[in-house]
Amino acid sequence: MLNKVISTLCGKKIFSILLVLTFMGIIFAEETSVYIGLRKDVPVEKNPTNISVVNENDIIESDSGNVGEVLNTTTGITEVSKLGTIGSESTMRIRSGGDSSKQVLVMVDGRPVNDTSLGFANLTEIPTENIERVEVMRGPSSALYGANALGGVVNIITKKAIYEKPRTEIGYSYGSFNTKNYNMNFSAKPGKADIYLTASKNFTDGFRENSDYDNLNLSLKTGYNLGKYGDITLNNGLLNSRIGIPGTNNTPVSKFNNNNEVAASFPNAYERDKKYYNQLQHKININNITVETNIYNDYQRKRYKNPDAFTDSISQPSNLGLNLQVETLNDIVFGIERKVESFERFDLQVKTMNKIRENSAGYIQKTFEIKKLSLTPSVRYDYNSIYKESTNPRISSVYKLTDDIKLSANVGTAFRAPTFEESFSPYISWPASIWGNAGDTQGNVNIKPEKSVGTDFGIEYKKETLLSKITFFYTNVKDLIEWQKSFPTLNYEQWRPVNIGKAFSRGIEIEVQNDINKKLSQNINYTFLESMGKKTGTYKTLQYTPKHRLNYDLNYLAPKKIKANLKVEFTHRQDWEEWNDWMSAWEKHLVAGHTIVSLRLSREILQSEVFFAIDNILNKRYVSRENFPLPGRTYSTGVNLYLWD
């Protein structure tokens, strides 16, 4: 019965291939514990199947320059959408289509990094050089993490020094479009202290006209063991970047010829971005009761200037947050959070927005161990000075059916907070022209959060020779926020954000890990997704919803100690209809499916690693967002030096 249901949903050929792969494994490797599921370290066998971990080795072998590239092949990721080459905006959606990148909460060491103005996290701004692992939890998660965890949560955990002697890693790479990457890591553990310093510098001319990029990233993580007073860690970081913003290019993919698609609609537009962050963490164990304190603040100044469109906009978001969490002996975790968000905006050097909102929250969870069943109910209450209160419960369960088979289930609610732009965007008007009627836009201070309820059920089979998972999920969302015309007249239009949308997503995730032998290993994951929404009338497929996504990763230790990594990413075609308010008609859209094959070769020579990589070997021309062309085949090569005293 189960085979028939899955085969109908996924397609018989795809499911048959996955079924064969599921039962051909020999040995696998995985993390021993995961933090994100219950906000505490939990043995991996007690975590549900909706959690994935990308470890340091995965990051190295992916040869990725930012977190977006690392997560693109992770189970359940609908797609990491890119607007161009290195430096261009990169966002992520989990288990959903549409404009749902705002529904994914991204954190670095527990510090939220979503843009409070636009809602999403720009993954291209998060480098990989100092990342130890990335934990991903799919599904509604506001019961523990609050706002914006509607689709899921990503927690990026940075490295700390593990070697007593000082150790330095230096890397350089060169690639297509005159792309140069320099990076340096330094770590040491003098006495009770530990130090981890990371610096990286990236340049590129970019694939398209006016898509050059220049950035500097610095981070410093220092810790100290205070003995009976616990451990203290201080994180500091800086990002300084400039990127050309070429705008859209509506050349059809069939007309790509390395000339038509590179033209910029905005040849002079650019964006300068400066970010600073500070974070202080303290952890202490008192009579087997663990108390964790996390204090952070961040500040950003982002300037977008486009002289051709008479645009000069400066955004200045900042955040100040505190989290205090207690883990008791009897498997109770509770905590309080306080966050103050502020946002300033200047248009043509005139301040048009200066707003502050405050959020206070408390959460609690309790784990019950009943023979083979681990049951964890949790609930969180948030009160915000603007959009008021929200209460979100969740129940997570894991059941060991046999020594080899684990069942898991989750059900919970979540919410996505309105952005500052949606709530407070200043009044902006324009006159009538050949492009259309006169009109204006303005935020809506009465906008409500988006809300969801979701559930998933998973089965995991694990033996020394095999690890395979299959998860079924369903999420229903209401009060979707969309900009629409209000009080329309023949000659004038008003655009306001309103809660008018509904949506649902349902699907299946399949994941297989195995080492075929000591020299050959493979990972495969597949996601079937149906994501639909409506304002009124019947449900229709949401924009950017690939029905099928398949990722295959093969690692081989070849003769002469050469490591080979082959990646295959398949994304199904995405077609949808969208109501066009300007034309008062349904408009059809299509993003063609694509298969991207990439290869990385590397070899260790003394205290160094030399590598060569080819991305998009088949030279597939494609887009992940309409009117934003992406390059064909690209190359990169480089060396990493490992130095220590």
Side-chain angles (χ1 to χ4, degrees):
M1 178 64 181
L2 184 60
N3 281 4
K4 291 181 180 179
V5 173
I6 299 173
S7 296
T8 301
L9 289 172
C10 303
K12 293 182 179 179
K13 290 184 179 179
I14 292 177
F15 180 65
S16 298
I17 294 171
L18 289 167
L19 200 59
V20 171
L21 288 168
T22 299
F23 292 100
M24 64 182 292
I26 295 180
I27 304 172
F28 64 90
E30 61 174 316
E31 299 294 317
T32 57
S33 65
V34 180
Y35 181 89
I36 195 171
L38 300 178
R39 289 193 81 136
K40 64 177 182 178
D41 288 324
V42 176
V44 70
E45 62 268 16
K46 292 189 177 182
N47 276 275
T49 60
N50 69 333
I51 292 176
S52 298
V53 178
V54 181
N55 60 38
E56 183 178 359
N57 189 57
D58 297 329
I59 295 170
I60 293 173
E61 292 179 349
S62 71
D63 198 34
S64 302
N66 60 69
V67 170
E69 296 174 359
V70 168
L71 293 177
N72 191 39
T73 58
T74 304
T75 304
I77 304 298
T78 302
E79 192 174 16
V80 174
S81 300
K82 299 183 293 184
L83 300 188
T85 45
I86 180 174
S88 300
E89 182 182 288
S90 175
T91 59
M92 173 183 58
R93 292 165 291 128
I94 295 179
R95 289 181 172 178
S96 59
D99 184 22
S100 57
S101 58
K102 301 173 184 176
Q103 299 172 353
V104 179
L105 175 63
V106 180
M107 303 181 296
V108 177
D109 292 324
R111 174 178 59 87
V113 296
N114 290 54
D115 188 313
T116 54
S117 170
L118 302 175
F120 56 77
N122 187 359
L123 303 178
T124 198
E125 296 179 342
I126 307 174
T128 59
E129 286 82 11
N130 67 334
I131 295 178
E132 176 184 310
R133 70 181 190 273
V134 182
E135 298 180 347
V136 180
M137 180 163 61
R138 306 180 294 277
S141 307
S142 290
L144 290 180
Y145 293 99
N148 307 325
L150 190 149
V153 180
V154 175
N155 190 32
I156 300 160
I157 300 166
T158 60
K159 296 177 183 177
K160 62 182 297 184
I162 58 175
Y163 301 102
E164 290 188 5
K165 293 184 178 181
R167 180 183 176 96
T168 304
E169 301 174 15
I170 301 173
Y172 169 77
S173 67
Y174 180 83
S176 301
F177 316 119
N178 193 32
T179 301
K180 303 173 185 177
N181 300 313
Y182 304 85
N183 62 79
M184 184 277 292
N185 294 345
F186 171 80
S187 64
K189 292 187 67 176
K192 294 184 177 182
D194 58 84
I195 303 169
Y196 202 99
L197 171 67
T198 302
S200 63
K201 182 75 173 175
N202 302 308
F203 305 89
T204 186
D205 291 339
F207 164 58
R208 296 178 57 197
E209 295 176 0
N210 191 35
S211 63
D212 57 299
Y213 182 60
D214 181 352
N215 92 316
L216 171 66
N217 233 308
L218 299 173
S219 68
L220 175 62
K221 186 173 187 177
T222 55
Y224 194 84
N225 185 305
L226 300 171
K228 65 179 181 179
Y229 299 107
D231 294 287
I232 190 168
T233 303
L234 180 63
N235 286 313
N236 305 95
L238 161 69
L239 166 70
N240 192 352
S241 68
R242 183 202 182 279
I243 184 170
I245 308 293
T248 58
N249 182 311
N250 60 4
T251 301
V253 174
S254 60
K255 301 290 186 181
F256 283 12
N257 61 2
N258 292 321
N259 185 37
N260 294 336
E261 70 272 24
V262 303
S265 56
F266 296 142
N268 301 302
Y270 67 88
E271 182 175 287
R272 291 189 180 274
D273 199 358
K274 290 184 178 181
K275 282 187 174 181
Y276 310 90
Y277 70 84
N278 303 284
Q279 183 177 18
L280 179 65
Q281 296 173 293
H282 179 252
K283 185 174 183 178
I284 187 171
N285 188 286
I286 306 172
N287 297 325
N288 293 319
I289 296 176
T290 302
V291 181
E292 297 180 64
T293 306
N294 182 13
I295 304 173
Y296 61 87
N297 80 282
D298 56 67
Y299 168 80
Q300 180 180 8
R301 186 181 191 273
K302 180 167 58 178
R303 182 179 188 180
Y304 172 72
K305 189 171 184 178
N306 184 357
D308 299 319
F310 306 103
T311 302
D312 186 358
S313 178
I314 298 174
S315 300
Q316 296 181 171
S318 63
N319 303 287
L320 176 63
L322 164 67
N323 173 245
L324 177 64
Q325 178 174 296
V326 178
E327 179 185 344
T328 69
L329 278 171
N330 49 356
D331 285 327
I332 295 177
V333 174
F334 63 90
I336 57 172
E337 287 189 6
R338 173 73 173 167
K339 186 177 182 181
V340 179
E341 302 170 310
S342 62
F343 184 77
E344 289 184 318
R345 175 172 153 179
F346 298 81
D347 292 289
L348 299 175
Q349 308 300 317
V350 177
K351 184 180 288 188
T352 54
M353 192 191 309
N354 184 12
K355 296 294 182 179
I356 295 176
R357 67 183 185 191
E358 303 177 13
N359 196 88
S360 300
Y363 57 90
I364 185 170
Q365 73 172 18
K366 161 70 176 172
T367 299
F368 299 91
E369 300 288 352
I370 309 170
K371 295 184 179 179
K372 296 183 177 182
L373 174 66
S374 178
L375 184 67
T376 306
S378 54
V379 65
R380 173 175 169 134
Y381 174 80
D382 285 81
Y383 184 84
N384 191 276
S385 59
I386 301 300
Y387 53 83
K388 305 310 176 186
E389 59 185 6
S390 180
T391 302
N392 292 276
R394 186 189 73 163
I395 297 179
S396 179
S397 60
V398 177
Y399 181 72
K400 290 286 288 185
L401 186 64
T402 68
D403 290 340
D404 304 328
I405 300 175
K406 177 178 72 178
L407 308 179
S408 68
N410 301 279
V411 59
T413 66
F415 72 103
R416 194 273 281 185
T419 67
F420 273 87
E421 289 291 339
E422 290 164 342
S423 295
F424 307 115
S425 182
Y427 177 86
I428 298 176
S429 63
W430 61 87
S433 68
I434 59 172
W435 305 107
N437 295 328
D440 64 68
T441 61
Q442 190 174 19
N444 178 3
V445 70
N446 296 315
I447 200 78
K448 298 185 296 184
E450 298 178 348
K451 300 176 182 178
S452 77
V453 57
T455 185
D456 59 51
F457 172 75
I459 307 170
E460 178 180 311
Y461 179 75
K462 173 183 175 182
K463 230 175 180 178
E464 290 183 0
T465 57
L466 178 66
L467 172 64
S468 59
K469 302 177 184 179
I470 181 169
T471 306
F472 304 84
F473 63 87
Y474 179 86
T475 301
N476 190 69
V477 186
K478 66 177 183 178
D479 292 331
L480 282 176
I481 300 172
E482 297 185 23
W483 288 78
Q484 74 161 13
K485 289 181 184 178
S486 59
F487 307 110
T489 66
L490 291 176
N491 301 314
Y492 196 85
E493 299 172 350
Q494 288 183 323
W495 290 83
R496 301 290 184 270
V498 292
N499 297 101
I500 59 170
K502 295 182 179 181
F504 71 84
S505 297
R506 58 189 176 192
I508 302 172
E509 300 160 347
I510 299 176
E511 183 176 4
V512 181
Q513 302 176 25
N514 46 327
D515 289 348
I516 298 171
N517 55 46
K518 292 182 179 180
K519 295 185 177 182
L520 188 64
S521 64
Q522 63 178 354
N523 292 323
I524 185 170
N525 65 70
Y526 165 79
T527 301
F528 168 82
L529 173 67
E530 186 179 42
S531 190
M532 308 187 78
K534 69 175 183 177
K535 298 179 184 178
T536 58
T538 60
Y539 281 94
K540 292 180 177 290
T541 299
L542 290 172
Q543 62 176 348
Y544 302 117
T545 302
K547 184 168 288 188
H548 306 285
R549 283 209 82 212
L550 179 67
N551 300 296
Y552 183 74
D553 192 347
L554 183 69
N555 293 287
Y556 176 55
L557 181 59
K560 306 295 183 182
K561 297 182 179 180
I562 296 174
K563 294 181 180 179
N565 173 248
L566 179 71
K567 287 185 180 295
V568 181
E569 306 170 27
F570 167 74
T571 301
H572 191 258
R573 61 179 282 168
Q574 304 166 60
D575 51 350
W576 69 95
E577 289 185 340
E578 192 172 31
W579 181 257
N580 189 316
D581 284 293
W582 297 98
M583 299 187 299
S584 297
W586 287 99
E587 185 178 5
K588 292 186 177 181
H589 299 261
L590 171 65
V591 172
H594 54 268
T595 301
I596 306 299
V597 181
S598 302
L599 176 67
R600 184 182 192 267
L601 303 174
S602 65
R603 191 186 192 283
E604 293 184 2
I605 303 175
L606 299 177
Q607 293 177 202
S608 68
E609 180 199 49
V610 179
F611 69 88
F612 174 74
I614 309 176
D615 291 326
N616 197 355
I617 294 174
L618 304 179
N619 200 31
K620 180 69 176 178
R621 307 314 307 272
Y622 70 108
V623 299
S624 65
R625 279 291 180 269
E626 284 185 311
N627 304 324
F628 288 96
L630 295 173
R633 186 184 301 114
T634 59
Y635 305 88
S636 64
T637 185
V639 60
N640 297 309
L641 303 177
Y642 307 103
L643 311 173
W644 55 88
D645 294 337

